[in-house]
Amino acid sequence: MTESRDVCLDSYQPMFRENLLQNQVALISGGGSGIGFRITEVFMRHGCDAIIMGRKEQRLREAAARLSSATGRTCIAAPCDVRQSEMVDSALREALSKLGNRHVNILVNGAAGNFLCAADSLTPKGFRTVLDIDAVGSFILSRCVYDRCFSKNGGGVILNISATLYYKGDVLQAHAGAAKAAVDALTRHLAVEWGDRGVRVNSLSPGPIEDTEGFDKLGGKSPMAQRMLQAIPLARFGTRTDIANAAVFLVSPAASYVSGITMVVDGGAWMTVAVPMSHARKLMPSSKL
Ligand code: HXC
Ligand code: NAP
């Protein structure tokens, strides 16, 4: 079913030259929903064609159709599970053939999974599942795009979508924090190893972004959302377009000497208090916190 939040913008005020990403192909995992959907839309509004990946085939195909129709560019749905390397490679191969055997120039690793769970209730399988999607999935897709495209085409750009959860050890998020810490480490390792092959690799860490599944899962719809707001120096939640605009900068030639960094786009929230324990107890009254 189409989720109402994943619609294209009625109007978009370009922050950059409109043809900034002209003739590029961007692959966005998680591009069928939420932040990834808006990143894909804003990239396409700057002139590139796109491939989006996710597991829910119908949602992905509907998203690709909406993105193509709103931007006039081509968006290919490439359904797959980023944890399965052979499935990812064959989805990529098929998508590239639909694009006339062009190469991917920009990869955004946005696919992720999350839920609230206290560490003393979390099973090894739950921990592993989130690590597998976020960290192993980012590695699998990076390797696949590197092998199939970047290594044959003089390089490219990788943008890993991360989170600030682990900076202060946020409660109920041991699995997601550990996964995103691994993602940020992967950013640095690949930036070093692949730099002289023309590959730039960076992370982008959103803060709480309204109107997303991640925000809802972390209590954005609960009465505690006001408490979260009070911890944000810029005094508002982020929007998906805030993240997309920062992403355009990081993948564009404007950032051609930027590699191995994590750009935090959170209104300054990571510098203030972490989620208070009292807040966490209200979000999960069944936990022993
Ligand atoms: C405790 C849970 C759980 C829950 C799943 N598990 N849900 N544990 N509380 N609510 C554990 C169980 O151990 C379960 O094993 C294991 O995870 C695997 O669950 P499955 O449902 O079989 O996995 P899967 O189908 O692969 O789904 C993955 C998922 C799901 C992560 C659990 O939620 C998903 O697909 N999410 C994608 C969308 C999403 O989460 N978007 C938000 C991203 S936001 P058992 O033994 O029970 O089967 C984000 C925000 C970061 O990342 C930071 C924000 C500031
Ligand atoms: P979202 O809409 O649920 O995005 C997650 C996407 O990942 C979905 O499109 C999902 O599609 C895809 N995905 C999940 N597991 C996958 C798998 N195994 N294989 C392929 N695709 C998979 O949530 P969001 O809130 O917009 O989050 C987007 C990104 O921003 C994530 O990396 C998240 O960690 C990060 N982030 C979000 C926030 C926030 O406030 N929302 C804050 C910090 C960081 P399918 O279900 O179809 O597979």
Side-chain angles (χ1 to χ4, degrees), residues 55-56 59 81 83 110 112-117 121-127 129-130 133-134 162-165 170 173 176 180 206-209 212-215 217-218 284:
R55 294 161 301 172
K56 296 181 189 126
R59 180 173 76 168
D81 187 324
R83 293 167 286 190
N114 201 6
F115 46 79
L116 289 175
C117 189
S121 312
L122 185 63
T123 62
K125 185 178 173 192
F127 187 82
T129 295
V130 174
I133 300 172
D134 297 23
S162 186
T164 62
L165 299 164
D170 273 1
Q173 288 286 271
K180 294 302 193 181
I209 304 303
T212 62
E213 179 150 356
F215 186 68
K217 281 190 165 184
L218 268 58
M284 276 205 95

Side-chain angles (χ1 to χ4, degrees), residues 5-6 29-36 53-57 59-60 80-83 109-113 133-134 161-164 180 205-210 212-215 240:
R5 63 170 48 137
D6 295 319
S29 73
S33 69
I35 290 171
M53 287 181 169
R55 294 161 301 172
K56 296 181 189 126
E57 184 165 347
R59 180 173 76 168
L60 199 69
C80 63
D81 187 324
V82 293
R83 293 167 286 190
N109 282 306
I133 300 172
D134 297 23
I161 306 301
S162 186
T164 62
K180 294 302 193 181
S205 279
I209 304 303
E210 62 191 5
T212 62
E213 179 150 356
F215 186 68
R240 290 177 293 156

Side-chain angles (χ1 to χ4, degrees), residues 220-269:
K221 280 188 173 159
S222 77
M224 262 73 73
Q226 283 311 307
R227 295 280 302 274
M228 287 161 69
L229 189 55
Q230 284 163 12
I232 303 175
L234 288 184
R236 68 171 176 85
F237 291 119
T239 67
R240 290 177 293 156
T241 306
D242 288 327
I243 303 307
N245 284 332
V248 172
F249 166 71
L250 285 171
V251 304
S252 79
S256 63
Y257 203 50
V258 180
S259 198
I261 68 154
T262 297
M263 180 189 278
V264 179
V265 183
D266 73 341

